[in-house]
Amino acid sequence: SPGFLTCRRPGALLCALPHLPKIPNGGMIRSRRELIAATSIVAVAALAALCCQPRPSVPLVDLRAPASVQREAWAAGAALGAVRLVGHDLDIAAALNASRSLFALPEPTKLAAGSLDGRPGFQRGYLAIGGESGLAANLELKEGFCYGYEWPANAPVENGLCGPNLWPEGSEGAPWRAELTHYFHAAAGAMQRATAHMAEALLLPVDAASLLRGGERISIMRLFHYFSAAEHAHIAPGKPRTGSSAHTDWHVATLIAQDGTGGLQLLGADGAWVGVPPLAGEVVVLLGDYLHLLSRGATHSPIHRVLLPPERRHRYSLTLFGYPSFDATLPAEAAAAAELPPSHTRAQLAAAGAFNTLVNGSDPQARLRLAEEAFGDLVLDKWRGVAANRVGSRSYRAGSDAV
């Protein structure tokens, strides 16, 4: 029954009962037809128990709506760690098409714009398949490209997270490059508006305008092209394959535009993976570790992952990492807050297993690192660890990279 299949509340099996076929003769099975009827009852009941369990849906926030209307959605999103966002004025289709054009370039052209340029942790340029992994145990079957603020080529860099973009040779004047450059600035503006709306709606103990202030030149856009599991079988044969290993995002927030393939999942409080639907016109905002600690637990930083697309399908996404300033530190009182709730439930930790995270938010000593060290230095160290997990590397350091 359609009414039963769409039910999403506890005890929802009861709503299916009126639609179940009845076993005749007081439950005594006397014929093959009655056996089939009884079997169908068991099957429908099992499906009801599975489908009707409450699952957290990802709330929808419309940036054009009044603050009073947004408040409830942001509250639900803060608890889950994610919202779907509309009213952002982003041309998602154009940006996705531009990323496809970049990844369609000849392999030598892409490799010549490689992101490993002798500055460990610096994220710019092309990332080949197997070039990084959030967890050393996994092969992340994707290629990527990182870019951000257009730093002048001859200007001195201010810190380890800034510097010129490494565009493929001959791309000057290419329409796809102009589109991607435009999208970076438009997405950064949408991120700024979204985080300000969220801080206002939730009455967070932070200065909404300063959440991303100073991070404009170090925040990065990461484009990804995911392959199906059977492709590129010669790369790390026998190693478990995934799109993106389970992790949390280290920063303030992430803005994701994805094509219609699907695959992005996050963990609900009950330890069940929740699919984030790739709906037309929507982007997804994931809240990060730094914001979780800065807000003293008022926002959740979700464990999430990306599954590989089905056979003969590819997945494309554009992911903006919204950083605070390089020198940002967590206020000492927030780092030491004894009342800070656990970062994740026991069910989430059991379901995720190992996952990559900024620091163990449930450990006061680990949190103090954010009060004593600059955010940028911590993130540089994290990126070095992710790069060390690349295929063929023997320099992986477990350290705090996984929980």
Side-chain angles (χ1 to χ4, degrees):
S1 165
F4 135 64
L5 288 175
T6 58
C7 189
R8 289 292 184 272
R9 61 184 185 276
L13 179 56
L14 295 176
C15 69
L17 293 179
H19 307 286
L20 296 178
K22 301 297 187 296
I23 299 177
N25 303 319
M28 297 296 293
I29 299 175
R30 299 178 179 178
S31 68
R32 182 176 179 180
R33 178 176 295 179
E34 292 175 7
L35 176 60
I36 294 173
T39 302
S40 70
I41 291 177
V42 174
V44 171
L47 183 61
L50 177 65
C51 295
C52 293
Q53 289 299 313
R55 287 288 180 264
S57 60
V58 181
L60 178 67
V61 171
D62 188 339
L63 290 178
R64 299 161 296 194
S68 59
V69 175
Q70 292 188 34
R71 187 168 294 115
E72 182 177 352
W74 277 119
L80 184 62
V83 298
R84 295 149 42 219
L85 196 70
V86 295
H88 45 64
D89 297 326
L90 299 175
D91 192 341
I92 300 169
L96 285 169
N97 284 335
S99 75
R100 292 185 183 97
S101 296
L102 186 155
F103 288 123
L105 293 173
E107 194 72 10
T109 302
K110 293 186 290 186
L111 290 172
S115 62
L116 299 177
D117 69 340
R119 294 178 58 194
F122 179 63
Q123 293 286 303
R124 295 291 189 279
Y126 179 68
L127 188 69
I129 299 172
E132 69 174 27
S133 181
L135 296 175
N138 294 334
L139 168 65
E140 297 186 350
L141 197 60
K142 64 190 179 188
E143 60 179 341
F145 186 84
C146 307
Y147 71 104
Y149 174 79
E150 288 287 356
W151 197 266
N154 298 320
V157 297
E158 298 175 351
N159 55 63
L161 290 176
C162 64
N165 289 320
L166 302 177
W167 294 103
E169 185 176 0
S171 64
E172 299 86 352
W176 60 260
R177 176 169 163 176
E179 178 58 41
L180 291 177
T181 300
H182 168 76
Y183 183 78
F184 170 78
H185 293 288
M191 172 88 78
Q192 181 70 54
R193 295 194 303 276
T195 54
H197 283 224
M198 173 196 61
E200 178 185 356
L202 300 179
L203 303 176
L204 295 183
V206 297
D207 176 8
S210 68
L211 278 175
L212 299 169
R213 183 182 298 148
E216 297 88 352
R217 296 187 177 189
I218 62 173
S219 294
I220 55 172
M221 183 73 72
R222 309 193 84 208
L223 315 179
F224 289 117
H225 172 205
Y226 298 84
F227 300 88
S228 59
E231 296 181 84
H232 304 285
H234 64 286
I235 301 178
K239 201 170 190 179
R241 296 176 160 220
T242 189
S244 184
S245 305
H247 65 285
T248 60
D249 287 344
W250 310 327
H251 35 273
V252 174
T254 305
L255 189 145
I256 303 172
Q258 51 182 337
D259 67 9
T261 305
L264 175 62
Q265 296 182 326
L266 55 88
L267 271 177
D270 62 354
W273 288 102
V274 179
V276 182
L279 301 179
E282 296 181 359
V283 294
V284 178
V285 175
L286 300 180
L287 308 182
D289 296 336
Y290 189 80
L291 181 61
H292 168 74
L293 296 171
L294 188 64
S295 69
R296 305 192 186 191
T299 64
H300 176 62
S301 179
I303 301 170
H304 55 283
R305 66 184 182 184
V306 177
L307 303 181
L308 291 175
E311 187 176 0
R312 293 189 292 274
R313 294 281 300 277
H314 289 190
R315 179 183 189 270
Y316 294 86
S317 67
L318 302 95
T319 306
L320 174 65
F321 287 7
Y323 289 166
S325 69
F326 186 95
D327 296 322
T329 55
L330 196 67
E333 60 272 17
E339 73 279 7
L340 191 71
S343 299
H344 302 97
T345 66
R346 290 184 179 180
Q348 288 172 331
L349 295 175
F355 65 95
N356 194 301
T357 190
L358 180 59
V359 297
N360 183 353
S362 300
D363 182 352
Q365 293 302 314
R367 295 200 304 267
L368 284 175
R369 286 191 65 193
L370 284 167
E372 298 168 352
E373 299 181 42
F375 170 83
D377 287 326
L378 285 171
V379 167
L380 277 170
D381 190 53
K382 295 296 298 183
W383 281 124
R384 294 183 192 110
V386 168
N389 292 343
R390 66 187 179 274
V391 172
S393 172
R394 296 185 179 181
S395 60
Y396 172 67
R397 297 172 295 108
S400 64
D401 290 344
V403 169

